[in-house]
Amino acid sequence: MRLLSVNIGRPRPNPWKGLSATGIDKRPVDGPVAVRAPGPKGTGEVGLAGDRVYDVKHHGGVHQAVYAYAREDLDTWEAELDRPLTNGVFGENLTSLGLDVNGALIGERWRIGSDVVLEVACARIPCGTFQGWLERDGWIKRFTQAARPGAYLRVIEPGDIHAGDPVEIVHRPDHDVTVALVFRAMTLEPDLLPRLLVAEALPPEEKELSRRRSAQKTSD
């Protein structure tokens, strides 16, 4: 398991959300990239030096510090869409190889290189910027139905990472809540939301939604 590339965003106009810019245009960079825990959501900060988000209401912050997507899933989409998909094109900071990103457990920890430890926090939910960027009508629905969302991670131990760094799973929690399960619960299958409550590392917003759904089912 290793990083194929570390990708940093280049600001570009965002006509799809009416914002001044978007950082979805991420491209591989050479050399080391510093990783550190960002501030709370709302500042635009993310976990990789030189990168940021511009839709500060919905992106960035501690629980969305780093976004990872598997090269194997990009290859699947490449075949389905019949177009080349370069590393970073889905807006991911880390393009991995040999790592089951969607099968990762919430709270699972990855050591990348010698210093950095990241923790799986939640699934990526597609938005209008993503659809506009790929220039595919109906992309949000198609991406959602496939349930291959990729993972947002929080920074546990900071440091530098490089393309080619090995990735090691150093902790797996004792539950079955995967990135893919969270995504399905948050999108197409809300009846799954109560199952997420066992995942202590889930971000507060997702936990609260799961609690409300669980309370509703109990009252019903």
Side-chain angles (χ1 to χ4, degrees):
M1 299 183 292
R2 62 186 176 92
L3 292 186
L4 280 184
S5 65
V6 180
N7 313 305
I8 300 296
R10 298 185 178 185
R12 57 185 298 131
N14 186 353
W16 312 292
K17 275 191 178 178
L19 297 173
S20 61
T22 173
I24 199 171
D25 182 10
K26 297 201 182 347
R27 305 189 187 185
V29 295
D30 297 325
V33 177
V35 180
R36 78 284 190 239
K41 185 181 287 188
T43 65
E45 291 184 14
V46 293
L48 270 62
D51 199 15
R52 65 158 293 150
V53 295
Y54 296 86
D55 182 355
V56 299
K57 181 179 179 180
H58 299 103
H59 300 295
V62 173
H63 306 294
Q64 297 180 6
V66 180
Y67 177 49
Y69 206 79
R71 183 64 241 183
E72 293 87 345
D73 290 321
L74 283 175
D75 290 342
T76 298
W77 283 118
E78 198 170 67
E80 291 183 19
L81 298 176
D82 192 27
R83 59 176 282 189
L85 295 174
T86 57
N87 293 346
V89 72
F90 275 19
E92 79 272 14
N93 299 113
L94 310 179
T95 309
S96 66
L97 185 69
L99 184 63
D100 185 2
V101 175
N102 295 309
L105 299 172
I106 302 301
E108 181 173 303
R109 292 187 175 186
W110 304 344
R111 182 176 298 280
I112 302 178
S114 59
D115 300 323
V116 172
V117 175
L118 304 179
E119 182 177 80
V120 177
C122 56
R124 184 253 193 94
I125 306 297
C127 65
T129 299
F130 190 23
Q131 178 166 292
W133 169 241
L134 287 187
E135 300 179 316
R136 290 277 175 169
D137 291 339
W139 173 245
I140 293 176
K141 180 178 180 180
R142 187 170 182 178
F143 185 83
T144 300
Q145 289 175 332
R148 298 191 295 267
Y152 279 123
L153 307 112
R154 55 177 70 92
V155 179
I156 303 300
E157 296 181 15
D160 291 346
I161 57 175
H162 313 68
D165 275 348
V167 180
E168 177 188 4
I169 299 172
V170 295
H171 170 70
R172 285 177 65 85
D174 187 21
H175 61 68
D176 65 349
V177 180
T178 64
V179 171
L181 177 63
V182 170
F183 182 78
R184 287 162 50 210
M186 298 292 293
T187 55
L188 299 176
E189 302 176 64
D191 283 347
L192 294 174
L193 282 168
R195 287 185 57 186
L196 308 187
L197 290 173
V198 298
E200 291 294 330
L202 201 67
E205 292 179 6
E206 283 83 349
K207 280 185 180 178
E208 180 57 28
L209 185 60
S210 299
R211 289 192 188 101
R212 291 203 304 267
R213 184 68 178 193
S214 182
Q216 179 185 357
K217 290 192 73 168
T218 301
S219 63
D220 292 344

